[in-house]
Structure formats: structure tokens, C-alpha cells
DNA sequence: CGGAGGATGGCAAACGATTACCACGCATAG
DNA sequence: CTATGCGTGGTAATCGTTTGCCATCCTCCG
């Protein structure tokens, strides 16, 4: 397959020299030697072995990303951001989807540590109350001790540096916006129980409602389309219709829109609906939402994890979000 | 960090014995030794170094997946399938998004080879006519020569085994379905030029139209939502409205629906719309489509790539698809 | 009681790259 | 003419595992 030994033989130099020219060591090498090595390498199609290199340097040019669910566009946007900078810096991105399971997160974390990845970006669910929580933290600590840079993304439930945006404020802002449209009965379809994101967003919603002197109206939900759909069906069938419904994320909000419409309730004519995140499907469907800096989150996280100097760790960084009014909300009449 | 040497010291056995216990070698080890090693390993929190292992075995427990764009749910579903079986088999999944660039595909392929991945599933775009085509094939060949199992997924543009579904037949079937609804003027919004998937689907559409004695009506498009939206706007503004429009994929079809509606044209009342793939957003939006076995494709590919015996390579496998009528199509009146 | 042979355990050689340290040669200065 | 030192190139140790081969020891049989 072409090893340094092959090259050194072909070029008639020592392995050390070959190694030195091939990765621009500070150790000087004459132009003649250099060229011979380069030629030999080109002819042999040399590719250094990550394994051998990792064995001696202790690190591989890999950055791991652990996400909750790769099919969820929320994570896909983040992953894209990470990939972008990792690629430019010559790193490989190892994406693992934990399928919303803390145990899977731990497994992936351990595996990533075994690969001696340069760093891992932990963009997963963020359970605040989980039997495996402690074990997770331990896995994180182990990874960090072994030299990997670990960063939590979009939640802060672990004891390690993080990059986030203010989910609570985002929920507050969208609620506030809906209030400003003149709606009074505003419901909130929550995410899975015990998840950092759900908690924060629900809190933001409730705070905004309280600030407006309104009573909160919370419904159980989830993070997926179906949860919103079901909740909407339930809401439509139950008591008096709210003026507006806010979903814990875009998928849920879209589910709400569809659920409402399938029950014969026009959106936004009779009920306004809004989401949070501004993922791609939100654009599809004209959903009013709050733009979460997902891609930028990935960018930033990767930059921090892959930074040359581990010195200036900002430790905790918060990125801004932005309101995106579209067509699923309208002024109350 | 805990190496075999540490364990062997602590357990008072040789490194060889420790190694044998820890990975169930056929070489017999007494129960006493076994237990001592196991205890020591547990106490030290031992995790074998992938690098060292790879160096001697020549392989890492990694399966690479190269996709066109991770934000595209089409690929996300595939990735999920791969992850599922890879995880159960103890493999790590390394997901790379090529952002629809053949050069990026080549880079990722080379990187994956450098990691000595067990296999790589190449689920990317499939350009049929690309300046880098030959270079890509060469990278694939190199990877295979170096012992990796390479598989193309969902297209067959490279000389290596593949797992696919019949895109052409899918397009044929959905077109045929729309025809059976009584529509005559049926347009097709195509994907990016020169991509295997676009070509196949357009061909399927045209074949079905020809079989029905109808004239095809093809529009330029792309793979993303915006392409469908723009095409719809264009179609709405231009000549006589078609009875139905088929998008090269779901995202495009959804774009068409939105574009049409924003132009004041009701779907499906005035124009029926259908997509292909049955990704998650198709369910959201009630889009009539053809269910492509994306998840199963990932499952199957991973199983083949990770199979113990490289013997029974089915070489080329084709999975079935299925029509999914929903609410964006209706019978012609 | 001698020996065959299975059951166990250890030694040491890889695997491929990095890098500290050494050696040689030649130029320049004293 | 010798000492100093920089510019270059090589030697070899090292990283952590796997594994072929060898050494023991014990058991069972003739």
C-alpha cells in the first residue's frame, strides 16, 4: 500500500528523511533529497497511515460529533457547520447518531476516545435527569483526561465547555411576538420530558406568558412531527380552541399545522402557529419561527475544538437567534 | 490511559495473555488468569487503542459513509440505516457529507482509506459525466485494493458492487399513477443535470408518458426545495397550467406545491403534485410520493460491507419501492 | 517409569510513523 | 592548522496490539 519504508527505499534515503520532507518538519533537508522523496511518494501514491501516526503522536485528525438524531434537521444543520470547518482544517468528521439514548451517547463517546479523536462535539439531547447521567459525565471526563477536547453544543448539562444559543430567550421571543399579534390564549406543545431543550423552551414560554399577564397552557409533546400532529388533534377535539399554538421546535409546529388543518381548522385564519429553530422544513411550509444559529453553532464549536492553542477557551459561548415571521401566524382580529 | 502493559502488570500476567483474554482468542487461558485480567481491566477502565490494533490487523472497526448532503433527508434516512447495523456489529460510523462535490467525495474516500476503514458506503451523488469521474474511480479502486469493502448506494455509476432501488421504475410508477388518475398534461421538474438519479427518474417519467401516449413536459430543476418553488412559479406564470406536476424528489415536489399555492393555484384542486422518495417531510406535507427504501438501503449496504464472509457478495442488489398516495393528488374531473 | 501430547503461558517480532540523538563533513574563525 | 558549529542525514527507540512459536507442566497411557 506504500509505506514510508517503501518510499525511502525507492528514493534511496532513510525513513527519517522521508518522514521529514513529507510533513514539513523543522529539521532541514536538502532540496535534492526533498525532491527525490516527493517524487517517490507521488509515484507510489503514498498515504500515511493514521494508525501508525496516532500511535506515536497520540492523536488522530478526527473530530467526533454526537447528535441526537441525524434525521432531525436540527442536528443536520449543526453537523454541516462542523464538517465545514473540520474539512478545511484537514480533519475528518465522525458523525454518530445516538437515537436519543444516553447509553448510545456513552458508547459513542467511548468509541471516539478509543480512536484518539482530537475532539468531540457533544450535540446530543441533554437529559437533565437521567439514570445514566453520572456515567455520561464520567465518560466525558475520561475523554478529556485522555487529551480530547470535549464541547457540549446547544445545551449545558455537562460539566465541560459549551457553545449554545439561548433557547429560553428564543422561546420567550416567539411567545412575545405572538402576544404582540394580539393573541391571548396561547398554547405550548412541549418536547420530551426531562430534556434540557424542552425545559428551557417551556420556561421561556411561561415567562413570556407571565410577563404578558396570560395563563400558560402546556401540552405534552415530543420532538417529532407526529407529536405535534397528535397534540393538535387533541387540542382540536378538546375544549375551546386557543388563539395560537407554539411548538417546541419546527417539526412539532409543522405537525400542529397539519393536525389542525386535517381537523378542518384553518391556519393561520383561526389559529396561529409558530415553531422554534428555523430548520429547512420551516421554510418549506412557511412556518413562523425563531432562527436558531444551528450552522453557526457547528462552525463555532469546531473552531474551538480544533483551535491550535487550547489556551483561549471561551469556555461558554452563546450565539444570537432571530425572529422569522412567516405565514402561519397572523394578527388577531 | 491504561494499556495492555498496565493490565498485564497489575494482573501479574504477560501482555500476550491479557490480550488473549480481552478479545476471546482461541488460544486457551485458564479461568484464574482470565479473571485476574478481567478484574485488572475493569479497575483500569481499559479501552484498547484502535490505532495499535489497526497497525497490526490492518483494519479499524469503522465504516465510512459518504453522502451528498447530510441536510437532505434522503441521505439522512440512509445514514440512519447504516448506523443501525454498524452499531450493533460494534462498528463506528464515519459520516461525511460531500456537499455535492466530486472533489470532496474523493477527499473523503482517501481519508477513509487512510483510516483503514473496514468499508465505505458511497451514497453520494452519482455524476454520470464529471471531469473528476476517472479520478474518483481510481480512488475507489485504491480503497478496494487496500482491503476496504466499497459499495455504491442508490446509484451505480462506479465500477463496484452496489445496492440500489429502481429509481427509474419509481418514476415510472408515480407517473403511471398520476396518469391513471386521469391527468393528461403532466410535467416533470428534473434534478441537477448529469446526475444519475436525475437521469433515471426523468427517463422513467418519459417512458411512462410515452406508454400512455402522452407528451413529456420537462422543466429544469434541482434537488432542493427552492428549485421546485421556482419551477412552479415559472410554470404558473408561463403557458397553460399542466394537470399535474411530478418532482424529481420530495423536496422539489414540496417546493412545487408551495410555489403553486403562493401563485394562488390550489393543490390538488387545480394541479396535482407528486414526489419521489417518501422522506419525512413528505409525510408532513401530505405529499403523494413513492416510498424509496432508503433506510433499508442503508441497512442492507451495511450488512454487506460488514459481513463476515466476503464470499457471498451479491454484487448488485435492488430493493423494492412502493407507491404512497396522499393528499396532493386527486382524480381529474 | 518413560514418553506422547494437550493445556497454558510467555517471548518477541512485527505493524508504520515520529523524533531525540548522534555522526559526519565542511566552512569559518582563532 | 585546529577548534567550533551549523547543516544534513541516519540510527534506533517508541507507541500498544496481535500472534506465531516455543517452553513448561501435567496427565494419561503403554
Amino acid at each position: 500500500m506504500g509505506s514510508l519504508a517503501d518510499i525511502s527505499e525507492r528514493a534511496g534515503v532513510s525513513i527519517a528523511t522521508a518522514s521529514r520532507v513529507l510533513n514539513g518538519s523543522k529539521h532541514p533537508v536538502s532540496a535534492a533529497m526533498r525532491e527525490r522523496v516527493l517524487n517517490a511518494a507521488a509515484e507510489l501514491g503514498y498515504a500515511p497511515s493514521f494508525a501508525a501516526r496516532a500511535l506515536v503522536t497520540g492523536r488522530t485528525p478526527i473530530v467526533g460529533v454526537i447528535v441526537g438524531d441525524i434525521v432531525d434537521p436540527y442536528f443536520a444543520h449543526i453537523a454541516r457547520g462542523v464538517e465545514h470547518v473540520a474539512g478545511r482544517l484537514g480533519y475528518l468528521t465522525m458523525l454518530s447518531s445516538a437515537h436519543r439514548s444516553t447509553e448510545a451517547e456513552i458508547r459513542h463517546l467511548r468509541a471516539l476516545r478509543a480512536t484518539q479523536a482530537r475532539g468531540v462535539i457533544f450535540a446530543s439531547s441533554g437529559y437533565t435527569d437521567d439514570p445514566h447521567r453520572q456515567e455520561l459525565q464520567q465518560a466525558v471526563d475520561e475523554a478529556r483526561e485522555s487529551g480530547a477536547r470535549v464541547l457540549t453544543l446547544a445545551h449545558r448539562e455537562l460539566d465541560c465547555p459549551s457553545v449554545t444559543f439561548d433557547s429560553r430567550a428564543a422561546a420567550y421571543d416567539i411567545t412575545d411576538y405572538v402576544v404582540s399579534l394580539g393573541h391571548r390564549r396561547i398554547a405550548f406543545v412541549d418536547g420530551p420530558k426531562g430534556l434540557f431543550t424542552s425545559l428551557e423552551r417551556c420556561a421561556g414560554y411561561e415567562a413570556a406568558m407571565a410577563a404578558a399577564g396570560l395563563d400558560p397552557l402546556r401540552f405534552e409533546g415530543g420532538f417529532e412531527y407526529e407529536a405535534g400532529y397528535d397534540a393538535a388533534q387533541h387540542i382540536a377535539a378538546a375544549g375551546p380552541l386557543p388563539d395560537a399554538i407554539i411548538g417546541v421546535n419546527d417539526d412539532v409546529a409543522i405537525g400542529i399545522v397539519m393536525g389542525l388543518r386535517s381537523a378542518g381548522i384553518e391556519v393561520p385564519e383561526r389559529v396561529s402557529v409558530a415553531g422554534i429553530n428555523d430548520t429547512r422544513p420551516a421554510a418549506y411550509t412557511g412556518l413562523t419561527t425563531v432562527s436558531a444559529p444551528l450552522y453557526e453553532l457547528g462552525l463555532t464549536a469546531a473552531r474551538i475544538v480544533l483551535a491550535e492553542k487550547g489556551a483561549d477557551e471561551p469556555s461558554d459561548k452563546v450565539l444570537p437567534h432571530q425572529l422569522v415571521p412567516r405565514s402561519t401566524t397572523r394578527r388577531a382580529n
Side-chain angles (χ1 to χ4, degrees), chain A:
Chain A
M1 224 246 300
S3 67
L4 265 192
D6 299 336
I7 290 190
S8 69
E9 186 183 353
R10 183 176 192 114
V13 303
S14 75
I15 292 186
T17 301
S19 170
R20 291 201 262 251
V21 355
L22 256 15
N23 48 75
S25 147
K26 40 269 148 212
H27 192 104
V29 175
S30 70
M33 290 286 124
R34 165 171 289 66
E35 187 169 356
R36 274 157 60 189
V37 170
L38 257 20
N39 283 341
E43 287 165 20
L44 262 43
Y46 172 72
S49 153
F50 278 25
R53 186 175 289 183
L55 202 51
V56 34
T57 65
R59 296 260 71 95
T60 47
I62 290 178
V63 49
V65 184
I66 299 177
V67 301
D69 178 4
I70 194 55
V71 177
D72 187 334
Y74 174 87
F75 293 115
H77 287 288
I78 290 176
R80 216 194 214 184
V82 173
E83 274 231 325
H84 184 81
V85 349
R88 277 195 326 182
L89 263 41
Y91 280 82
L92 255 48
T93 304
M94 198 133 140
L95 226 196
S96 330
S97 180
H99 304 112
R100 315 254 184 228
S101 143
T102 304
E103 291 174 80
E105 293 172 2
I106 294 172
R107 270 209 318 281
H108 285 135
L109 207 46
R110 295 232 163 93
L112 248 10
R113 165 163 167 245
T115 68
Q116 292 166 287
R118 181 80 211 88
V120 6
I121 294 171
F122 199 81
S124 204
S125 307
Y127 280 94
T128 55
D129 177 33
D130 186 283
H132 301 281
R133 172 77 181 288
Q134 203 164 4
E135 196 181 349
L136 214 202
Q137 177 70 53
Q138 190 187 330
V140 169
D141 292 342
E142 284 171 11
R144 298 186 71 189
E145 277 166 28
S146 81
R149 303 228 184 99
V150 181
L151 200 66
T152 56
L153 192 59
H155 69 277
R156 223 179 289 174
E157 281 314 290
L158 258 14
D159 177 25
C160 81
S162 69
V163 179
T164 63
F165 74 101
D166 193 336
S167 245
R168 182 189 299 231
Y172 188 102
D173 289 354
I174 189 73
T175 306
D176 192 52
Y177 172 72
V178 172
V179 168
S180 78
L181 253 25
H183 300 295
R184 315 297 299 169
R185 287 179 48 79
I186 305 172
F188 182 77
V189 177
D190 205 354
K193 296 179 92 72
L195 243 53
F196 180 77
T197 303
S198 309
L199 258 30
E200 286 289 295
R201 293 184 176 183
C202 189
Y205 156 77
E206 286 173 349
M209 290 296 277
L214 266 22
D215 286 333
L217 195 59
R218 181 184 160 283
F219 291 88
E220 300 289 332
F223 275 159
E224 310 197 342
Y225 169 79
E226 290 77 8
Y229 192 93
D230 294 345
Q233 298 270 18
H234 175 75
I235 292 174
L241 225 44
D243 303 327
I245 310 178
I246 295 171
V248 69
N249 68 17
D250 292 340
D251 280 9
V252 168
I254 294 171
I256 294 170
V257 171
M258 296 302 163
L260 249 23
R261 286 189 179 145
S262 88
I265 299 167
E266 300 94 37
V267 176
E269 288 75 7
R270 289 181 58 198
V271 177
S272 284
V273 176
I276 302 177
N277 281 347
D278 194 25
T279 49
R280 200 162 235 276
Y284 286 8
T285 48
L287 182 73
T288 291
T289 188
V290 191
S291 175
L294 270 8
Y295 183 75
E296 292 73 17
L297 241 27
L299 245 39
T300 308
R303 271 198 271 264
I304 292 177
V305 163
L306 267 23
E308 286 308 321
K309 38 177 60 186
D312 57 348
E313 284 202 25
S315 199
D316 289 299
K317 196 157 183 172
V318 180
L319 267 35
H321 58 271
Q322 192 183 8
L323 201 66
V324 183
R326 278 195 279 247
S327 59
T328 53
T329 46
R330 60 137 59 166
R331 184 161 292 284
N333 35 22

